[in-house]
Amino acid sequence: MDNSTSVAYINRRGGTQSPSQSLLALEICSLLLSMGSWLTARHLPGVLNVEADAASRELNTRTVWSLKESAFEEIAARYYMPEIDLFVSRLNHKVPLYVSRYPDPGAVAVDAFRLDWSQWRSFIHPPVVLLRRVLQKGDFSAVSPIRPGSSPSALALPPPDCMADIRRSYQAAGFSPQVIKVLLASWSDSSKKRYQGPWKAWSSWCTARGLCPLSALVAEVLNFLTELAVQHNCEHRTVAVYKLGISQARSHGVEPPIGQLPLVSLLALTAAARAYEILKLDLSSLSRKTESWEFTLLSHVKACRPGHPPRTIYLPSYPTNPKICVIRTLEAYLTRCEKRRKTIRPLISYVRPYGAISTQTVSRWVRNSLQLAGVSQQFTAHSTRSASTSSAASAGLPLEEIMRAVDWSSARTFERFYHKPSTRGDFSCTVLNTLSS
């Protein structure tokens, strides 16, 4: 058996923690005694339990729709061999180059609606729910699932509906019907009525430009909101309602809400910091220099020990690639949030009253960034700590420097490595170099 708890309950004929398991263990023992037999359970690690777990470990590729190979070959022979497949994933693409709707490690791009389709000989076989947007974006004839002889009104475009679009986005994200029901039930009638108008305006704006309302770039959202304020003379509170409605509809577990920055991911990677260490950053203990910033964690953290200096988070500048320079990003974030910050913590919530955030919020932001990068959901926010240190070690950074950067040490480590002078920025720069390559 690969469950140590079950092994203990069978061998000891019960236990004290689970009454149901105790009754089951006694029933097994009584059955064996009536048969004149006995049973001794032994633990088998899951990695060795190959035969029993074979079915659950197989990759199931029958979870997505796919065009039959014979049908695709017939289409390619009659028209042309496509160069790219626009609406697929790594499980059902027909040609080597493909575009996925959501982050996919093998895709050449994400969200076909953001691309210019005329640059390739494309194969377009979208889900039925996207057919309306495909027909509006492309200037071509399309084969649709409408039955012969049906009324032309069958292709009439339905008016935008906020809740219907959100339901379709949940379905496309792979949520179960039960999960979708719970998520939609959390919307009150007043919220549905309040956001229907803004969502209809946003959806119509996107449709006129060939964009998908659920996956349009944040820059497009800002262009839309700017038009409301400048061209339509909407008040700021009205624009805020539109922004909140769009954010609520777009935030279905695949992308973070509008207003959230991936700054925490840079902090987690370059400093190999835990989520609660990022939370404990204090602007009053920040030492700013020309080429580096350094935070001293004054409050108690896990690494605190008697006689040991406080944990420091060292952030060097990275002029090689300013786009992923943690100082440049953090400085821009502090500047934009200066008027709303009411705490000494650099990271604040992006919703009113813009207060301090929790460790769980930091972890959730990091997980969202990982998912957007195509990282498997089995990895957590704490995985960045091992990922960055492993990356630095693979790049040849000495182990001593890594241990100092992340404050990993024993008494012997303190004596041998802590006070040894070195270039403290090597750790973070090495991590960023591996990210840039």
Side-chain angles (χ1 to χ4, degrees):
M1 304 177 67
D2 63 356
N3 188 295
S4 57
T5 302
S6 300
V7 171
Y9 270 78
I10 290 177
N11 290 339
R12 297 176 183 178
R13 297 182 293 282
T16 60
Q17 296 297 323
S18 174
S20 60
Q21 289 192 15
S22 295
L23 291 175
L24 183 58
L26 290 176
E27 289 179 6
I28 293 175
C29 291
S30 300
L31 177 61
L32 292 172
L33 289 174
S34 65
M35 298 171 58
S37 302
W38 191 248
L39 174 66
T40 300
R42 293 185 60 184
H43 179 254
L44 180 66
V47 68
L48 301 178
N49 198 16
V50 178
E51 185 176 352
D53 291 347
S56 61
R57 295 177 182 178
E58 290 181 354
L59 176 62
N60 184 9
T61 60
R62 295 174 296 176
T63 59
V64 293
W65 291 99
S66 178
L67 186 66
K68 285 187 176 181
E69 196 65 32
S70 58
F72 172 76
E73 293 175 355
E74 183 178 349
I75 293 173
R78 182 172 181 178
Y79 296 100
Y80 57 81
M81 176 55 68
E83 297 175 338
I84 192 169
D85 203 344
L86 292 182
F87 291 92
V88 287
S89 68
R90 65 183 183 275
L91 298 178
N92 61 348
H93 62 94
K94 300 301 180 183
V95 293
L97 296 181
Y98 66 93
V99 178
S100 176
R101 189 177 183 188
Y102 302 109
D104 188 319
V108 296
V110 176
D111 191 358
F113 288 106
R114 301 177 182 176
L115 307 177
D116 179 10
W117 298 351
S118 62
Q119 58 184 313
W120 304 288
R121 290 184 300 176
S122 306
F123 181 64
I124 305 174
H125 185 234
V128 175
V129 295
L130 297 179
L131 186 59
R132 172 171 63 93
R133 298 192 183 102
V134 171
L135 293 175
Q136 291 174 338
K137 178 176 176 63
D139 183 13
F140 45 75
S141 299
V143 178
S144 71
I146 305 301
R147 296 188 302 272
S150 60
S151 170
S153 63
L155 281 174
L157 302 180
D161 186 286
C162 183
M163 300 310 298
D165 286 343
I166 292 175
R167 177 184 293 276
R168 284 193 290 267
S169 71
Y170 288 154
Q171 293 171 343
F175 294 167
S176 67
Q178 292 80 5
V179 172
I180 296 176
K181 182 178 180 180
V182 172
L183 291 175
L184 295 180
S186 64
W187 285 66
S188 65
D189 292 337
S190 59
S191 296
K192 295 177 184 178
K193 185 181 298 184
R194 183 183 186 186
Y195 295 134
Q196 178 61 28
W199 181 257
K200 182 178 180 180
W202 162 245
S203 182
S204 300
W205 189 89
C206 289
T207 299
R209 291 160 178 79
L211 302 173
C212 175
L214 292 168
S215 59
L217 294 171
V218 175
E220 300 293 348
V221 179
L222 296 177
N223 290 335
F224 170 71
L225 297 177
T226 301
E227 287 188 12
L228 291 178
V230 177
Q231 299 182 12
H232 300 281
N233 297 321
C234 293
E235 297 183 0
H236 289 295
R237 60 182 180 182
T238 303
V239 176
V241 172
Y242 277 76
K243 170 184 172 294
L244 184 58
I246 297 172
S247 299
Q248 292 293 332
R250 286 165 49 98
S251 305
H252 54 267
V254 178
E255 293 190 18
I258 299 169
Q260 177 178 318
L261 299 176
L263 171 62
V264 287
S265 298
L266 279 175
L267 291 172
L269 287 170
T270 54
R274 303 177 179 90
Y276 71 84
E277 290 177 340
I278 296 176
L279 181 67
K280 295 291 184 179
L281 296 180
D282 190 331
L283 293 177
S284 63
S285 65
L286 171 60
S287 175
R288 303 192 190 194
K289 300 179 182 179
T290 305
E291 298 183 352
S292 65
W293 287 12
E294 184 172 350
F295 286 92
T296 301
L297 303 185
L298 302 178
S299 56
H300 179 79
V301 294
K302 184 177 180 180
C304 289
R305 295 179 294 275
H308 184 62
R311 168 85 157 104
T312 57
I313 302 294
Y314 184 83
L315 305 174
S317 62
Y318 191 67
T320 305
N321 188 349
K323 292 182 179 180
I324 57 174
C325 176
V326 64
I327 291 183
R328 183 187 180 98
T329 306
L330 180 57
E331 188 174 21
Y333 177 83
L334 294 176
T335 302
R336 295 180 183 182
C337 301
E338 182 177 2
K339 295 182 179 180
R340 294 179 175 178
R341 181 173 289 100
K342 303 176 183 179
T343 174
I344 58 176
R345 306 298 183 193
L347 300 180
I348 60 174
S349 174
Y350 53 83
V351 295
R352 293 180 184 275
Y354 311 113
I357 59 177
S358 64
T359 303
Q360 290 75 18
T361 300
V362 174
S363 298
R364 186 175 68 255
W365 288 358
V366 175
R367 289 197 306 271
N368 287 341
S369 297
L370 293 178
Q371 292 179 20
L372 288 174
V375 179
S376 173
Q377 295 184 3
Q378 66 178 340
F379 295 100
T380 64
H382 196 69
S383 301
T384 57
R385 187 170 168 87
S386 59
S388 58
T389 51
S390 299
S391 177
S394 300
L397 188 67
L399 179 60
E400 296 88 347
E401 190 67 29
I402 297 175
M403 294 180 68
R404 289 189 59 190
V406 300
D407 205 19
W408 283 340
S409 60
S410 61
R412 185 181 180 186
T413 305
F414 286 133
E415 296 174 2
R416 295 182 57 187
F417 305 122
Y418 188 78
H419 296 291
K420 183 176 180 179
S422 62
T423 305
R424 300 189 62 191
D426 285 349
F427 172 80
S428 297
C429 290
T430 302
V431 173
L432 292 175
N433 282 329
T434 60
L435 293 176
S436 299
S437 60

